Amino acid sequence: MTAVTPPRRDVFEYALLRVVPRIERGEHINAGILLYCRPRGFLAARVHLDPDRLRALDRHADVAGVRAALGAAQTLCGGGAEAGQAAGDDAGRRFRWLTAPRSTVVQPGPVHTGLTADPEAEAERLLELLVR
């Protein structure tokens, strides 16, 4: 009988991207996730904005502006020339910058950890579970 070796699982970190349309009220919706897996050099943002949910918190919310901010997080995760000044930074440094606390409309939530054999699939799973 041959023993089956389970796939290698690596530590990953993730944070939600929250949209807080009216900072003074503190209400938010989840609109994306950031996922970083250092052993695999993986950094990605997955986003999904539900404009109706956003407008339920603030009927005057700038949906286009929020989409642009979420898109900027995705671009920064991708690195390369499109990432601007962060283009030369490693994935870990870009993740730390994206998860630093800020008081803007799009904010990162706390960082959590887990184990995964497939960071890409994990990002999609978390998006489905926590955002959609």
Side-chain angles (χ1 to χ4, degrees), residues 3-22:
V4 176
T5 305
R8 183 183 103 209
R9 296 184 344 152
D10 293 308
V11 173
F12 71 93
E13 300 172 77
Y14 75 95
L16 285 165
L17 289 174
R18 300 171 172 170
V19 179
V20 187
R22 294 181 57 193

mmCIF file of all heavy atoms in Angstrom, residues 3-22:
data_model
loop_
_atom_site.group_PDB
_atom_site.id
_atom_site.type_symbol
_atom_site.label_atom_id
_atom_site.label_comp_id
_atom_site.label_asym_id
_atom_site.label_seq_id
_atom_site.Cartn_x
_atom_site.Cartn_y
_atom_site.Cartn_z
ATOM 1 N N ALA A 3 1.545 5.159 0.548
ATOM 2 C CA ALA A 3 1.012 6.304 1.303
ATOM 3 C C ALA A 3 0.881 7.501 0.371
ATOM 4 O O ALA A 3 1.755 7.764 -0.457
ATOM 5 C CB ALA A 3 1.938 6.645 2.461
ATOM 6 N N VAL A 4 -0.219 8.194 0.493
ATOM 7 C CA VAL A 4 -0.450 9.401 -0.305
ATOM 8 C C VAL A 4 0.084 10.594 0.464
ATOM 9 O O VAL A 4 -0.268 10.815 1.618
ATOM 10 C CB VAL A 4 -1.959 9.585 -0.603
ATOM 11 C CG1 VAL A 4 -2.204 10.869 -1.348
ATOM 12 C CG2 VAL A 4 -2.493 8.389 -1.365
ATOM 13 N N THR A 5 0.949 11.349 -0.192
ATOM 14 C CA THR A 5 1.507 12.547 0.437
ATOM 15 C C THR A 5 0.565 13.715 0.188
ATOM 16 O O THR A 5 0.248 14.021 -0.962
ATOM 17 C CB THR A 5 2.898 12.868 -0.151
ATOM 18 O OG1 THR A 5 3.725 11.722 -0.006
ATOM 19 C CG2 THR A 5 3.510 14.066 0.539
ATOM 20 N N PRO A 6 0.103 14.341 1.254
ATOM 21 C CA PRO A 6 -0.781 15.500 1.049
ATOM 22 C C PRO A 6 0.002 16.650 0.402
ATOM 23 O O PRO A 6 1.218 16.742 0.540
ATOM 24 C CB PRO A 6 -1.233 15.875 2.462
ATOM 25 C CG PRO A 6 -0.223 15.283 3.375
ATOM 26 C CD PRO A 6 0.369 14.099 2.663
ATOM 27 N N PRO A 7 -0.701 17.506 -0.325
ATOM 28 C CA PRO A 7 -0.006 18.640 -0.951
ATOM 29 C C PRO A 7 0.615 19.554 0.105
ATOM 30 O O PRO A 7 0.106 19.667 1.222
ATOM 31 C CB PRO A 7 -1.107 19.368 -1.728
ATOM 32 C CG PRO A 7 -2.390 18.873 -1.178
ATOM 33 C CD PRO A 7 -2.133 17.535 -0.557
ATOM 34 N N ARG A 8 1.719 20.172 -0.268
ATOM 35 C CA ARG A 8 2.388 21.103 0.644
ATOM 36 C C ARG A 8 1.467 22.295 0.905
ATOM 37 O O ARG A 8 0.917 22.878 -0.020
ATOM 38 C CB ARG A 8 3.693 21.585 -0.003
ATOM 39 C CG ARG A 8 4.498 22.492 0.902
ATOM 40 C CD ARG A 8 5.732 22.997 0.196
ATOM 41 N NE ARG A 8 5.453 24.376 -0.191
ATOM 42 C CZ ARG A 8 5.990 24.978 -1.235
ATOM 43 N NH1 ARG A 8 6.827 24.346 -2.003
ATOM 44 N NH2 ARG A 8 5.690 26.214 -1.514
ATOM 45 N N ARG A 9 1.317 22.621 2.179
ATOM 46 C CA ARG A 9 0.513 23.789 2.536
ATOM 47 C C ARG A 9 1.432 24.841 3.135
ATOM 48 O O ARG A 9 2.293 24.534 3.958
ATOM 49 C CB ARG A 9 -0.587 23.407 3.530
ATOM 50 C CG ARG A 9 -1.562 22.448 2.904
ATOM 51 C CD ARG A 9 -2.744 22.048 3.736
ATOM 52 N NE ARG A 9 -2.681 22.310 5.134
ATOM 53 C CZ ARG A 9 -3.735 22.523 5.908
ATOM 54 N NH1 ARG A 9 -4.936 22.527 5.389
ATOM 55 N NH2 ARG A 9 -3.598 22.726 7.194
ATOM 56 N N ASP A 10 1.233 26.067 2.700
ATOM 57 C CA ASP A 10 2.054 27.178 3.158
ATOM 58 C C ASP A 10 1.205 28.199 3.906
ATOM 59 O O ASP A 10 0.003 28.336 3.658
ATOM 60 C CB ASP A 10 2.727 27.869 1.963
ATOM 61 C CG ASP A 10 3.755 26.981 1.296
ATOM 62 O OD1 ASP A 10 4.628 26.457 2.008
ATOM 63 O OD2 ASP A 10 3.687 26.808 0.068
ATOM 64 N N VAL A 11 1.858 28.931 4.775
ATOM 65 C CA VAL A 11 1.198 30.011 5.508
ATOM 66 C C VAL A 11 0.866 31.139 4.534
ATOM 67 O O VAL A 11 1.665 31.478 3.660
ATOM 68 C CB VAL A 11 2.111 30.543 6.640
ATOM 69 C CG1 VAL A 11 1.517 31.785 7.291
ATOM 70 C CG2 VAL A 11 2.351 29.457 7.677
ATOM 71 N N PHE A 12 -0.318 31.701 4.705
ATOM 72 C CA PHE A 12 -0.687 32.898 3.956
ATOM 73 C C PHE A 12 -1.306 33.896 4.918
ATOM 74 O O PHE A 12 -1.730 33.544 6.015
ATOM 75 C CB PHE A 12 -1.645 32.577 2.798
ATOM 76 C CG PHE A 12 -3.038 32.202 3.230
ATOM 77 C CD1 PHE A 12 -4.041 33.170 3.329
ATOM 78 C CD2 PHE A 12 -3.359 30.891 3.531
ATOM 79 C CE1 PHE A 12 -5.323 32.823 3.726
ATOM 80 C CE2 PHE A 12 -4.640 30.536 3.928
ATOM 81 C CZ PHE A 12 -5.625 31.508 4.021
ATOM 82 N N GLU A 13 -1.331 35.142 4.489
ATOM 83 C CA GLU A 13 -1.969 36.215 5.240
ATOM 84 C C GLU A 13 -3.016 36.846 4.336
ATOM 85 O O GLU A 13 -2.820 36.927 3.120
ATOM 86 C CB GLU A 13 -0.951 37.278 5.638
ATOM 87 C CG GLU A 13 0.176 36.765 6.518
ATOM 88 C CD GLU A 13 1.243 37.820 6.708
ATOM 89 O OE1 GLU A 13 1.018 38.743 7.500
ATOM 90 O OE2 GLU A 13 2.293 37.712 6.043
ATOM 91 N N TYR A 14 -4.098 37.314 4.936
ATOM 92 C CA TYR A 14 -5.102 38.002 4.146
ATOM 93 C C TYR A 14 -5.775 39.084 4.972
ATOM 94 O O TYR A 14 -5.762 39.052 6.200
ATOM 95 C CB TYR A 14 -6.148 37.027 3.583
ATOM 96 C CG TYR A 14 -7.144 36.526 4.606
ATOM 97 C CD1 TYR A 14 -8.380 37.147 4.758
ATOM 98 C CD2 TYR A 14 -6.852 35.435 5.419
ATOM 99 C CE1 TYR A 14 -9.298 36.690 5.696
ATOM 100 C CE2 TYR A 14 -7.760 34.970 6.357
ATOM 101 C CZ TYR A 14 -8.977 35.601 6.485
ATOM 102 O OH TYR A 14 -9.884 35.164 7.410
ATOM 103 N N ALA A 15 -6.335 40.035 4.258
ATOM 104 C CA ALA A 15 -7.117 41.110 4.879
ATOM 105 C C ALA A 15 -8.267 41.459 3.949
ATOM 106 O O ALA A 15 -8.133 41.382 2.721
ATOM 107 C CB ALA A 15 -6.245 42.343 5.120
ATOM 108 N N LEU A 16 -9.369 41.832 4.539
ATOM 109 C CA LEU A 16 -10.503 42.312 3.749
ATOM 110 C C LEU A 16 -10.254 43.744 3.306
ATOM 111 O O LEU A 16 -9.586 44.510 4.004
ATOM 112 C CB LEU A 16 -11.779 42.279 4.585
ATOM 113 C CG LEU A 16 -12.382 40.912 4.816
ATOM 114 C CD1 LEU A 16 -13.409 40.972 5.928
ATOM 115 C CD2 LEU A 16 -13.003 40.394 3.536
ATOM 116 N N LEU A 17 -10.797 44.103 2.169
ATOM 117 C CA LEU A 17 -10.870 45.508 1.757
ATOM 118 C C LEU A 17 -12.298 45.947 2.036
ATOM 119 O O LEU A 17 -13.252 45.360 1.509
ATOM 120 C CB LEU A 17 -10.540 45.665 0.272
ATOM 121 C CG LEU A 17 -9.093 45.447 -0.105
ATOM 122 C CD1 LEU A 17 -8.927 45.483 -1.621
ATOM 123 C CD2 LEU A 17 -8.214 46.508 0.552
ATOM 124 N N ARG A 18 -12.433 46.936 2.890
ATOM 125 C CA ARG A 18 -13.741 47.423 3.305
ATOM 126 C C ARG A 18 -14.004 48.792 2.677
ATOM 127 O O ARG A 18 -13.097 49.604 2.569
ATOM 128 C CB ARG A 18 -13.779 47.581 4.819
ATOM 129 C CG ARG A 18 -13.534 46.311 5.567
ATOM 130 C CD ARG A 18 -13.382 46.604 7.028
ATOM 131 N NE ARG A 18 -13.328 45.375 7.807
ATOM 132 C CZ ARG A 18 -13.020 45.326 9.072
ATOM 133 N NH1 ARG A 18 -12.733 46.437 9.723
ATOM 134 N NH2 ARG A 18 -12.991 44.185 9.704
ATOM 135 N N VAL A 19 -15.257 49.022 2.349
ATOM 136 C CA VAL A 19 -15.665 50.335 1.859
ATOM 137 C C VAL A 19 -16.476 50.989 2.965
ATOM 138 O O VAL A 19 -17.486 50.442 3.418
ATOM 139 C CB VAL A 19 -16.486 50.232 0.566
ATOM 140 C CG1 VAL A 19 -16.916 51.619 0.094
ATOM 141 C CG2 VAL A 19 -15.687 49.516 -0.513
ATOM 142 N N VAL A 20 -15.988 52.145 3.410
ATOM 143 C CA VAL A 20 -16.626 52.912 4.486
ATOM 144 C C VAL A 20 -17.041 54.253 3.879
ATOM 145 O O VAL A 20 -16.275 55.213 3.894
ATOM 146 C CB VAL A 20 -15.645 53.126 5.671
ATOM 147 C CG1 VAL A 20 -16.364 53.771 6.847
ATOM 148 C CG2 VAL A 20 -14.989 51.822 6.084
ATOM 149 N N PRO A 21 -18.250 54.311 3.312
ATOM 150 C CA PRO A 21 -18.619 55.518 2.570
ATOM 151 C C PRO A 21 -18.772 56.778 3.424
ATOM 152 O O PRO A 21 -18.561 57.876 2.931
ATOM 153 C CB PRO A 21 -19.944 55.141 1.910
ATOM 154 C CG PRO A 21 -20.485 54.022 2.728
ATOM 155 C CD PRO A 21 -19.293 53.305 3.288
ATOM 156 N N ARG A 22 -19.119 56.607 4.694
ATOM 157 C CA ARG A 22 -19.238 57.750 5.589
ATOM 158 C C ARG A 22 -18.449 57.419 6.848
ATOM 159 O O ARG A 22 -18.939 56.738 7.741
ATOM 160 C CB ARG A 22 -20.705 58.037 5.901
ATOM 161 C CG ARG A 22 -21.449 58.496 4.629
ATOM 162 C CD ARG A 22 -22.890 58.827 4.855
ATOM 163 N NE ARG A 22 -23.036 59.848 5.881
ATOM 164 C CZ ARG A 22 -24.193 60.145 6.453
ATOM 165 N NH1 ARG A 22 -25.285 59.514 6.101
ATOM 166 N NH2 ARG A 22 -24.252 61.080 7.378
#
